[in-house]
Amino acid sequence: MATIDDVVRTGVCVGCGGCSAATGGRIPVRLGPTGLYKADLSNATSHDKLLGSKVCPFADESRNEDEIGESLFEGLPRDDRIGYYRSMFAGRVNDDTRVESSSSGGLTTWLLRALLESGKVQGVIHVGESNGPLFGYVISRTIDDLDQSRKSKYYPTSFGDVLRSIRGDGQVYAFVGIPCAIRSLRLIAESDPSLQSQIKYAVGILCGHLKSAAYAESFAWQLGVEPEHIETVDFRIKDRNLTSRQYSFGVKDRRDGEWRTAQTLSLVGGSWGHAVFQPEACNYCDDVFAETADVVIGDAWLAKYEIDWRGTNVVVSRSSELDEIFAAGDDRGDLVREPLEIDSVVRTQSGNFRHRRDGLAVRLADDDAAGRWHPTKRVQPGYPVSDERVRLIRERRNLSSVSHEAFAEAKSAGNLEVYLGAILPLIESYQSSTKMTLTRRILNKFKREAWKIVTSLRSRRQSAGQNQ
Ligand SMILES: Cc1cc2nc3c(=O)[nH]c(=O)nc-3n(C[C@H](O)[C@H](O)[C@H](O)COP(=O)(O)OP(=O)(O)OC[C@H]3O[C@@H](n4cnc5c(N)ncnc54)[C@H](O)[C@@H]3O)c2cc1C
Ligand code: SF4
Ligand code: SF4
């Protein structure tokens, strides 16, 4: 049986802060030199470690997503890929100004706002700008605060302190988190009646993998802003003339207050497939659709939606109450929605499924072959893919691992080239092995162009209808 000791010793701790919350802070979680949070077990008693292990998303003592999901959502239909579900759809807010300042379709903030405005919650626990690190868990109690914290923060976070701060305050909250955070939150709540009654809604955010603080720093540095001069960053700046995938990264330089931006895909490490600065924990994640959350929201990465600069969410709901809120929004014309079939929902996250199913099986089998400890997962170790694919999976894992060390060295040397020199050859090698076949590229281009035509015909027909 694994314990939290194994999780931390092997670098699989994602720094979520669950063990800290469960032990009243006796297990502190600290930001380390590679820009990732990690639990510090040096003063923890064996009892503390046991409490921590029970809520740790990577310890074998904790209940897994299937077990937690069953106690929360039994009776709902279930699919092995997305977990339990009640409804699923693609959509966005019907307001171009608001959608522009959201990561994707803006439905996460829209839903949280509906919960706050209706008094169903008094606060929202989510991620926004913090004192100290650039971003961290914060509590929003007003619509203004909520709006300040829109957009994805591809940045490490830890929720232990904020959860402890609200415990027993008599107020009710919605909690927003990536799948591993929600799993830990559910486990904490199971043995803590106070938090159980206070966290009324668990809103999941789809997560391909987490990034260390170096992700933001490396982009800023490439734009001429050294890490110590970063005031803040924006990971998802939209452009009305481009597709939703072609978003930009921006950094505000604290020396002159100016924003510098570049299309994320043009920056070294800007492709999510390269997995730079991915924590080791994400090599062991098998929960794509936040299976323990009441609702999970992500990007609907399908050609049909991708061509729309505004961004479109994919949503899987497991709650009748939240379904009613969405339906009421629809009736008022606040939202634009269309239902999705399960297979389409899954296709919005094709890369994530490759990484979390076949990729995970290969990594587990590699660990077994090398005699390395790994957490017990719902995916079985094995080599279900071609040798070429196995090689790619290993290259990607190596790329993540090298990125952390190389960037830490670049920072101590005060020279970005130290990082770029180490990572570029690995990215180039990975990229040349993953090059899409010509047929696949033509097919993808054809799909996007076809959807552009369909969309423009539809809007012409709609405006013709309105003019009649
Ligand atoms: C690390 C990470 C990886 C992701 N990977 C994928 C992916 O592979 N596929 C995919 O479809 N979607 C992914 N997403 C989700 C996606 O980026 C959007 O967050 C999601 O589509 C919601 O968009 P929205 O417009 O509804 O959000 P908005 O209305 O802009 O609101 C975003 C909300 O999320 C909260 N938030 C931001 N960052 C975090 C965080 N780190 N932890 C917890 N809450 C946070 C904000 O506080 C805010 O409440 C990822 C998000 C994160 C944080
Ligand atoms: S609960 Fe979270 S912070 Fe604690 S050891 Fe596990 S992964 Fe790390
Ligand atoms: S990929 Fe999984 S383990 Fe990694 S941060 Fe996302 S939810 Fe957590």
Side-chain angles (χ1 to χ4, degrees), residues 14 58 178-181 207-210 281-282 285 287 356:
V14 76
F58 295 99
I178 49 181
C180 56
C207 172
H209 59 261
L210 190 60
C282 306
C285 182
D287 180 2
R356 313 276 246 286

Side-chain angles (χ1 to χ4, degrees), residues 4 7-8 12-20 29 39 52 55-58 184:
I4 200 174
V7 174
V8 175
V12 178
C13 166
V14 76
C16 65
C19 54
S20 179
V29 176
V55 302
C56 174
F58 295 99
S184 186

